[in-house]
Amino acid sequence: MIKNAPYKFVEFDSFSYQFGPRNGPQNSYDSKTGNYQYVDDRDSLVKSNLRLTKDDLLYLHRKAAMLGFWDFPVNETGDSVKTGRQPLRYIIEFKYKRKSKRVTFDQNYEGDPKLIDANEKMIKEVELVMGQAEARQKK
């Protein structure tokens, strides 16, 4: 399955991840530049440089293939804000030499529960890898 995937790791270029309120994700990461910015628990914007290893990126590529990321709809946004608070928006993009896949997922998306679960698992994997990279970098 992985060998026949439309997105091959040998053609991998970069990975980006953004999340935050629907009106504009404030937290972002780009593997090509290593630029990482996020709003901390004191509402301060923190900018740093975070480098993911080739193994980290290969792990994310394989998780994406395993979870069916290549088949996710591009637009998985919620219709409106029903609870009064802004749902989070996640944008995950894998760029390859000949093509790329970008998925926008809102926390209040009301689609297939299996698709929502797969999106949430992908987000957890991304955050896990980035957290491990941050921990390695602080040593």
Side-chain angles (χ1 to χ4, degrees):
M1 181 173 99
I2 292 174
K3 286 183 181 179
N4 295 328
Y7 300 86
K8 299 179 190 301
F9 191 71
V10 294
E11 297 178 357
F12 180 81
D13 185 40
S14 66
F15 164 78
S16 66
Y17 176 62
Q18 301 172 46
F19 67 98
R22 275 175 48 159
N23 59 358
Q26 300 169 341
N27 307 288
S28 64
Y29 174 73
D30 182 354
S31 72
K32 191 170 217 158
T33 62
N35 291 338
Y36 180 37
Q37 71 174 31
Y38 60 93
V39 177
D40 66 9
D41 54 1
R42 289 184 261 149
D43 285 337
S44 299
L45 185 63
V46 178
K47 294 183 179 187
S48 67
N49 192 282
L50 179 66
R51 291 291 178 182
L52 295 182
T53 66
K54 185 176 180 179
D55 288 341
D56 291 336
L57 295 168
L58 177 59
Y59 176 83
L60 288 174
H61 168 84
R62 287 184 174 159
K63 278 296 180 181
M66 190 175 80
L67 292 169
F69 183 79
W70 316 131
D71 297 324
F72 287 9
V74 173
N75 186 7
E76 301 174 58
T77 55
D79 289 334
S80 62
V81 180
K82 296 177 183 172
T83 61
R85 62 173 233 234
Q86 285 282 350
L88 293 178
R89 170 166 285 172
Y90 297 89
I91 302 169
I92 298 174
E93 183 173 21
F94 285 87
K95 294 180 186 173
Y96 296 82
K97 288 185 174 109
R98 288 182 264 169
K99 53 172 72 174
S100 64
K101 177 70 175 193
R102 178 182 171 118
V103 173
T104 303
F105 173 73
D106 283 354
Q107 206 173 32
N108 70 340
Y109 176 66
E110 295 178 358
D112 182 353
K114 289 180 183 178
L115 179 60
I116 293 169
D117 184 54
N119 274 284
E120 290 170 349
K121 285 180 182 176
M122 188 69 211
I123 291 164
K124 285 179 185 174
E125 292 295 341
V126 168
E127 291 175 350
L128 173 73
V129 167
M130 289 179 64
Q132 290 171 344
E134 275 187 292
R136 278 193 313 264
Q137 202 164 298
K138 287 181 182 177
K139 287 184 179 181

